[in-house]
Each structure stands twice: as structure tokens, then as C-alpha cells.
Amino acid sequence: MWTLRAAVRRGLPLVRAACSFRGGFAPGPRDRRVRALSTFSGQSPNKGRSLTGSGGGATAGRGRKEEDEEEDEAGEEEEDEELLLERKPLLPQGAQRVFLLHPDVKWGAKKQTLTREKIRGSPQITSVFLNVERMNPLTKKELETAWGVEVFDRFTIVLHIFRCNAMTKEAKLQIALAEIPLLRSNLRNEVAQLDQQGGGSRSMMGSGETFMQIQQRVLKEKEIKIKKALEKLKKRRHLLRNQRKKRELPVISVMGYTNCGKTTLIKALTGDAAIQPRDQLFATLDITAHSGSLPSRMTVVYVDTIGFLSQLPYDLIESFSATLEDVAYSDVIIHVRDISHPESDLQKASVLSVLKNLNLPNQLLGSIIEVHNKVDLVERYEPTEPNAITISALLGHGLEKLKAEIESAVLKATGKKLLTLKIKLEGAQLSWLYKEATVQEVDVIPENGTANVKVIISNSAYGKYRKLFPI
């Protein structure tokens, strides 16, 4: 994992790159398992309530009953989602001194034979990060026994970083979905240990199901509920896209490797003081939209996307691919690169690889604007790519040139026209144009009460204008 390795090489604590662990984790409710079993099996502690009332007012009573049922369902649905998001901590409490282990050489003259002694002989080491995508529970247990400290793989670390930075319900649900395979793997390990004690395969509570079968069913039902909740959020995103489409607002997706400066750039382009960029991995885990204006005063929507990462674990790719589907509905893509990073070229390759796998239209892929950010950190930087735009989003260098390039790309992608229309000042033409188009310039001719108006207007709006105000 390039970013985490680089962070350690630069002397940054791994926990600081991920998030602060010092606050610890709040323990879950003691009755979590009971509640989870009852909720995920389609039952609720409130289901047994009966609605009672006086005999009069049948219609009103029925209406009240329906309202109560709807409120109950909404409350149960909210409680279900809270249960879906409950989880045990992935990493130990407190700050960690991490030993990074990359299993490059497994045999030959350079084979490392003293790794166990190095780790056990270093009391300052509190955990080991093994740079593999996933460890099976048995391997994890054997390594922890051999080294005397906890061992974590890439999936666990990245999942924990995602947890720390997930703010919205959708991001949290995506993470919960990505965690299901890990829970299934841990379940198999728990059952194997119970089998050794003679208890894993016994039926429980006369239900005819073993512990393994019950827990598998609980996980399956949890997975189904998470997917249903995400489907509802997906429909909501679809509705928002349709609203933007009706208003004919151009959409610009800002993409790039994690911590490349996407959010800082959007803040600089929009002037939105509410946007607070953070200098850390995966500070953005949600698709967020921000309104901005181009030099022509045309309103556009900038979409801030999740940061990319090379060698992202497969289960996390699958879970978060849904959040990137909005990119396919963009008019223009801005690819932001941290040009000061030593592995900027590899980061570019990772981003482009993901974009190609999204099956985006060729026209959209051809509209990508490559932006080289953080040039203030590189002395006398000159891009090798001929069409790249160099900027410093933090200091504001190169933003005017970038805005002009964005405007040109938007006009080309959306088919909007740049026209000069002659109007009568006494009519409603000018106010209509201000409402339905982007008015750039008004040149008044007082002699005859007319004006030449320079506008950017869509094909559909121009068609309406000609019908309303025939020449």
C-alpha cells in the first residue's frame, strides 16, 4: 500500500496517517447479540404491542392506527439501521508503534530468518502491519503467538481508516457491507475453536440449528438489510441527479488519489468557506456536491469524490464502486494529481485504471482535464504532459487558467451556445434570459430602446426563447 509505506518512511506515525486512536472506542451494548438476532431475523421488540382505543370513531381510529403503524415502522427501520452500524473495534485502543513487514523475499540468499527475533526483541513495537491484502484467521493467530503482538493486514487497516472518516449514513453502510466477509471469516475461526471444545456443531435452544448456522443466518440477514438501505439511498441520489438535469446544471467530477488536494481545489474554485479540507488519508469518503461559477458566470456543480488508493482490497472496491456511479453522469472530469508525491506517476495509473473499469462513455473519458497540484512544493516544476494545467490550490496559483479550461470543456460537452441576441428593453426578454441562461454582457442601445445581450444558453432553452419571443 504505497501511501501507508510512504507515511512511515517519512517518519509519520501510522495511527496519525489513519486517525487518532487516543480517544479509544465506546463499548457496545451488552445485549447486542440478542438485539441483533431479534432484529435481523425480521422481529422487533416492539412488534408484540397491540393498539387499543375506545369503540367510537371507526374511521378516525383506523386512520390513527395506520399513522401509528407508519411511525412504528419508521422507528423500527431507524433502529435497524443503528444496529447495522454497530461494530467491534478493529484495532487496539491507544496509539501504536507499528513494525511494517513487507513479505517480498520468501527464499534464496536474501531470505530473512531473524524477523521473529527482531520483533520479539523490540519491546517498543506494539503491533505489526503485514503488507498483504488479507490474512486468514489461522495465519493471524500463529503470527501473533510467534511475535507476541497483534498483527494486521491491509484490509483491516484501510477498513479502520474508512471507519474513522465516514460521516454520512451511506458511507457507514458501505463500510458495514465491506466488513461482512471479514465477519464471516472470523466466524469460521470461532466455530473451529468451538468444535475443538465440542460445542460448535451442537444444536442450540432446541431450534435445530447449530451455532454456525444461526450466526451465518444473522450475517446473511444483516447483509440483505444493508443492501436494502443502500438501495434506498441510491434512489435518492438518482432523484437528485434528475433535479440537476432538469435545471441543466453542468456537473464536474473532481477525482484523484487520496490526499491529492481535491477538496482544497473545490474550496478554491467555489469560495465555499464551509468546506474544510484535511491533510490526511481518505478525508473524503462521500460524494458531495458544491455550486460554483465559471468566468462567464455560468453556474456549475463540482462533485467531490472518494480518494483512490493503489492495491485497495477487493471487498472495499466492490462496496464503494456504487458511490462512483455518479461520475458516469458528469459532463467533465478533473483529475487532480499531487505532483510533489514521489510516486505521482503510479498514483495516476491507479486512478486511470479505476476510471476505465467504471465503463464511462468515451466522450467523458476524452474530456478529462489533468491538473498538477501542489507545484509550490516542487522547485521550478515543468509538466511533461502537454495539456496538464499546473496549480497550487492552497495558494491560488493557476486557478484562472484552470477555470477557463473548465468553461471551454463544459461548453463542448453540454452543447451550450455562446450567442449575441438583440432584444427590446421594454419587453420581458432580458429578465427571461437572466433566469434561463447565463448573461455575460448587456450592451444597451438607447437610441432605439434595444440591447445586444451576450449569453450562454442551452439548445432547449434557446428553442423556448425563439417560441416565446419570435423575431
Side-chain angles (χ1 to χ4, degrees), residues 29 46 71 156 159 194 224 277 304 334 384 390 411 433 446 457 465:
N46 298 326
E71 289 176 3
T156 306
L159 185 62
L194 286 173
I224 291 171
D304 194 0
I334 297 177
T384 55
T390 59
L411 290 174
L433 289 172
I457 190 168
Y465 175 82

Side-chain angles (χ1 to χ4, degrees), residues 280-346:
Q280 65 183 59
L281 306 180
F282 294 106
T284 301
L285 276 184
D286 308 287
I287 295 285
T288 58
H290 309 271
S291 177
S293 297
L294 295 178
S296 64
R297 297 192 290 275
M298 175 169 50
T299 301
V300 296
V301 175
Y302 292 99
V303 176
D304 194 0
T305 62
I306 180 176
F308 290 74
L309 183 71
S310 63
Q311 302 179 38
L312 187 67
Y314 177 79
D315 292 320
L316 292 174
I317 293 175
E318 285 292 294
S319 294
F320 279 89
S321 61
T323 63
L324 293 174
E325 68 179 12
D326 285 341
V327 177
Y329 299 92
S330 305
D331 297 296
V332 176
I333 293 176
I334 297 177
H335 175 199
V336 184
R337 293 177 58 187
D338 175 2
I339 214 64
S340 70
H341 197 284
E343 293 170 340
S344 181
D345 289 337
L346 289 174

Side-chain angles (χ1 to χ4, degrees), residues 357-393:
N357 290 334
L358 291 176
N359 297 318
L360 301 177
N362 291 331
Q363 180 182 355
L364 184 57
L365 286 173
S367 74
I368 295 177
I369 300 174
E370 184 167 318
V371 174
H372 291 187
N373 190 25
K374 306 187 183 182
V375 294
D376 53 301
L377 301 179
V378 182
E379 189 175 356
R380 297 176 184 175
Y381 176 73
E382 290 293 335
T384 55
E385 290 85 348
N387 298 320
I389 298 176
T390 59
I391 69 161
S392 169

